[in-house]
Every structure is written in structure tokens, then in C-alpha cells.
Amino acid sequence: RGACTLGVAMLGFQVLALEPAPHNVKLLRSAVARNGLKQSVTVLQAAAGRAGADPRGTLQCPLAHSARCQMSHGPMVGSVAPAGEEVQTFQVQTQPLDEIITEYQSSESVCAIKIDVEGSELDVLLGARGVLASV
């Protein structure tokens, strides 16, 4: 878990990693610690989204395949997992990436953004207009 986060940090960059799923946050923080990267990586249990959108959402994640998590700002339709597979559903708050970076970024400028949000890429990009304009 967190191969990109760990790889970028190992290259000497500061990394701000967002992960809304609690079980993935725990795994990522453990991997960061095991690799001695606590000084280089900040892991936030958070979800990025667009500015002005309803910040309350529901995240549904199959425990066996957390890469198939699905975010919804309305009623969940269907399931992200095959019948019989355990699914974890929880409430999350989304925040525009511009706000998150302003709050947590040091004086360093942003040099890269990796987005893996299972279909919510447009919402994340719309919430990152400021940071994207600055690179």
C-alpha cells in the first residue's frame, strides 16, 4: 500500500497523502513508519472534492479490494462488491484540495499531484484550481 507515496518520499520530497478509508490510513501509516519516512510523509484521513459541493459524503469500500471504493454525495446505489464480500461504509467529509494544501503545505511548492479516486477525478481537479494554476 502507498507505493507512490513511499517512492516519492524516498526520492527526498515531502508528501501529503490523503486517504479517506480508515483501514487504508492505518496500513499507509504503518508502511511510512516501517520505511523510516515519518519526517517526509503526512498522512491525512481525508477526501478531496470540489469547492462549493456538499462536503458530506458516504464512502463504500470492499475490504478485500479497497481500490474499488466508491464515494457518493447522495444515496448509495448498488454495491461496490460482489455478493457475499464484506463491505465497509462510512461517512466522510470532502474538502477542496486547494484548502487542504493551504492548511498543510510548508513553504515548498507543489511539484506533483497523484490522483486515484475511482471516478471522482473531476471533483478533485475542480477543487484544485488554485494549486494547479500555481504549478
Side-chain angles (χ1 to χ4, degrees):
R1 308 248 182 222
C4 289
T5 294
L6 299 175
V8 170
M10 287 176 184
L11 290 173
F13 294 98
Q14 290 294 311
V15 176
L16 176 61
L18 308 180
E19 173 56 60
H23 56 281
N24 287 346
V25 169
K26 184 177 177 182
L27 292 171
L28 182 55
R29 286 182 176 152
S30 177
V32 166
R34 272 194 320 275
N35 286 277
L37 297 170
K38 283 185 171 183
Q39 298 300 315
S40 300
V41 178
T42 301
V43 179
L44 301 178
Q45 185 173 336
R50 73 171 68 197
D54 182 352
R56 297 163 304 207
T58 302
L59 188 68
Q60 187 181 74
C61 298
L63 293 181
H65 303 284
S66 61
R68 292 194 333 239
C69 291
Q70 178 182 358
M71 179 76 172
S72 174
H73 287 282
M76 293 300 285
V77 178
S79 177
V80 295
E85 188 174 321
E86 189 175 356
V87 174
Q88 182 179 26
T89 301
F90 49 94
Q91 300 300 305
V92 296
Q93 291 285 113
T94 59
Q95 186 177 1
L97 199 53
D98 285 341
E99 292 177 13
I100 295 168
I101 289 175
T102 298
E103 185 175 343
Y104 288 94
Q105 180 185 7
S106 65
S107 60
E108 297 179 39
S109 62
V110 173
C111 68
I113 298 174
K114 178 213 174 252
I115 302 170
D116 180 12
V117 291
E118 311 305 323
S120 296
E121 290 82 1
L122 180 59
D123 284 341
V124 173
L125 292 172
L126 289 172
R129 289 180 179 176
V131 72
L132 292 173
S134 71
V135 289

